[in-house]
Amino acid sequence: MLEEAVDPDARWLSAVLHGAFFLLLGSSLARFLIRHSGSAQLPWITALSVVLAVLYVLGPGRDLRPAPRARLPRHTWLCAVVTVWVVLVVLAPSFAWCAVPLFYTGLRTLRPRAAIGLLTLLVILVVVAQLELSGRFDPDLVFAPPAVAAIATGVFIRMERQSARQRRLIDDLIRTRRELAASERREGMLAERQRLSMEIHDTLAQGLSSQQMLLQAAARIWGTDPVKARAHVRTAESIAEHNLTEARRFVHDLAPADLARGGGLDEALRALAVRESGDRLTVRVHIDDGSRSPRLPDRVQSALLRIAQGALANVREHSGATTAALTLTLLDDQAVLDVADDGRGFDAAGPSDTAAGPSDTAAGVRGHGLPAMRARVGQLGGTLTIESAPGEGAVLSAAIPLETPS
């Protein structure tokens, strides 16, 4: 049967029961041969024993290895086995012991009501056979077989029901796991979309915004100060080149282009400061690593660089600052990035979406700046704080915890 093919315990139990059947059949035939060697029924008993053994072997699912197909319909096979066994019991009551493995076979083959009917017939034949063998009335022979059969049937039915409940539970767990996996895939897709949105905002969108401002400034002064206008155009060209590098990086692994060069976060911040510095804004970088120079995880480096890019973009576009400072502090248990500027500042307690200045939304730009920074820090278990006041500049601080070596 199928359960024997997938359940090692069922295969082991079937092997025991099959072996017990042939052992009982052989011992019953040996007993008859020893006690009734000259009986006229001996050829019939021997022939029926052989037929019963052959039927049992030919039965569907009787082999320990799954058969490619059933050689006899299951109910037809069981009916033939029981019929031959009944004839043997009538001719030789000692064959009644073969009923024990037949109990289990009937319970496995038939539905509960039909199986109980078959077991009742088997028990009656066993009791009659045992009374005939003893030659006298014995209460043990009358009540013991029904009691043992009732116990065996109850235990078997309980085990079958418990097994069915376990199968239903396993099916529910498998279904729940599949639903959970599908939900996680959906959440992963949404998180990836959000991440891509932040990546594009922090790189391409901000670069295009800077180019637009530089080209507009160049157009305004082209007639009066062509030298400075050309400088704006060259700066816009440099930003466009960097954005092209970022776009190509998106196609590969979406890592920041500055980090992809392999110089580490400190060099990436310095490259960002050089790129963001110009006539109106000077950006300085300070690295405080305590002479340890720890290697930050790639995700932490990428997040801090993107936060620095977003913060400087807001400083440049909204704060009116002339000086900004990037300070990276590496501690044993966390990495802290501070972005400070000397701009006009703002009320940090009020709604704002910039590091130093009014919100992007107020300026007519879609407000991804500060929410994107908070999302990046939150995904790594860190915190983002902003300190500012009107006329006093602003300080944005991003702290991301690090896994300490055990």
Side-chain angles (χ1 to χ4, degrees):
M1 300 181 70
L2 179 60
E3 63 177 324
E4 295 178 15
V6 298
D7 186 355
D9 292 336
R11 292 170 59 89
W12 172 82
L13 181 58
S14 295
V16 172
L17 289 172
H18 300 339
F21 176 82
F22 288 108
L23 179 61
L24 292 173
L25 180 63
S27 64
S28 299
L29 178 60
R31 181 180 186 277
F32 188 87
L33 292 174
I34 293 173
R35 297 195 175 189
H36 308 281
S37 58
S39 174
Q41 297 178 343
L42 181 59
W44 293 101
I45 297 297
T46 303
L48 288 173
S49 298
V50 173
V51 170
L52 183 58
V54 171
L55 281 175
Y56 199 88
V57 170
L58 294 179
R62 297 305 96 196
D63 297 330
L64 295 179
R65 292 174 296 178
R69 59 179 180 175
R71 283 161 284 189
L72 284 175
R74 187 171 301 168
H75 294 82
T76 301
W77 167 82
L78 181 61
C79 180
V81 169
V82 172
T83 300
V84 174
W85 174 80
V86 169
V87 174
L88 276 173
V89 171
V90 172
L91 296 177
S94 60
F95 282 88
W97 287 107
C98 295
V100 176
L102 290 180
F103 285 164
Y104 177 77
T105 303
L107 287 171
R108 285 180 43 179
T109 305
L110 302 176
R111 293 182 178 181
R113 290 186 178 180
I116 291 175
L118 175 62
L119 295 184
T120 301
L121 172 63
L122 296 179
V123 169
I124 292 175
L125 288 175
V126 168
V127 170
V128 172
Q130 294 301 313
L131 290 176
E132 184 176 350
L133 286 175
S134 65
R136 58 186 179 85
F137 178 80
D138 189 338
D140 287 342
L141 299 179
V142 175
F143 299 108
V148 173
I151 293 173
T153 303
V155 171
F156 180 86
I157 293 176
R158 174 175 173 77
M159 292 176 61
E160 285 291 302
R161 291 178 177 177
Q162 186 175 3
S163 177
R165 287 193 295 268
Q166 290 177 348
R167 286 194 295 269
R168 288 194 297 270
L169 178 60
I170 292 174
D171 291 340
D172 291 340
L173 290 175
I174 293 175
R175 183 171 57 254
T176 302
R177 186 174 62 181
R178 290 174 178 171
E179 293 174 354
L180 179 60
S183 176
E184 290 178 348
R185 284 194 296 270
R186 290 192 296 268
E187 292 178 0
M189 292 173 61
L190 294 176
E192 182 65 12
R193 290 177 181 176
Q194 182 183 12
R195 188 177 71 85
L196 288 175
S197 174
M198 293 187 298
E199 294 281 354
I200 294 173
H201 173 271
D202 290 345
T203 54
L204 302 182
Q206 291 176 355
L208 291 173
S209 177
S210 299
Q211 294 174 55
Q212 182 185 31
M213 294 175 61
L214 289 168
L215 293 175
Q216 289 174 348
R220 286 194 300 268
I221 64 175
W222 193 269
T224 59
D225 192 350
V227 176
K228 190 172 183 179
R230 290 189 182 93
H232 286 331
V233 172
R234 286 193 296 270
T235 303
E237 181 183 5
S238 176
I239 295 175
E241 181 181 1
H242 179 75
N243 277 3
L244 180 59
T245 303
E246 288 283 359
R248 289 171 177 169
R249 182 55 54 186
F250 284 145
V251 177
H252 291 84
D253 56 0
L254 296 177
D258 291 326
L259 290 176
R261 299 188 182 99
L265 181 58
D266 52 348
E267 293 189 14
L269 290 176
R270 291 189 177 94
L272 174 64
V274 172
R275 193 165 56 249
E276 294 291 337
S277 296
D279 296 336
R280 294 185 303 167
L281 178 65
T282 300
V283 181
R284 290 190 290 268
V285 177
H286 177 65
I287 307 295
D288 181 10
D289 57 7
S291 300
R292 293 184 301 273
S293 299
R295 171 66 180 177
L296 296 177
D298 292 340
R299 292 185 61 192
V300 175
Q301 294 189 66
S302 179
L304 291 177
L305 180 57
R306 293 306 191 199
I307 291 171
Q309 290 174 336
L312 288 180
N314 288 337
V315 169
R316 183 184 63 248
E317 296 178 18
H318 305 298
S319 71
T322 59
T323 303
L326 298 176
T327 302
L328 177 64
T329 304
L330 303 180
L331 304 175
D332 291 334
D333 59 346
Q334 65 178 346
V336 182
L337 175 67
D338 296 318
V339 183
D341 69 80
D342 60 356
R344 66 176 64 94
F346 62 97
D347 183 7
S352 175
D353 191 33
T354 67
S359 69
D360 288 352
T361 306
V365 181
R366 186 179 179 184
H368 274 291
L370 189 57
M373 298 179 202
R374 293 192 187 280
R376 290 184 187 279
V377 174
Q379 289 173 356
L380 298 176
T383 57
L384 184 74
T385 58
I386 300 175
E387 297 179 4
S388 182
E392 298 183 5
V395 177
L396 179 145
S397 180
I400 298 179
L402 303 176
E403 293 184 0
T404 57
S406 56

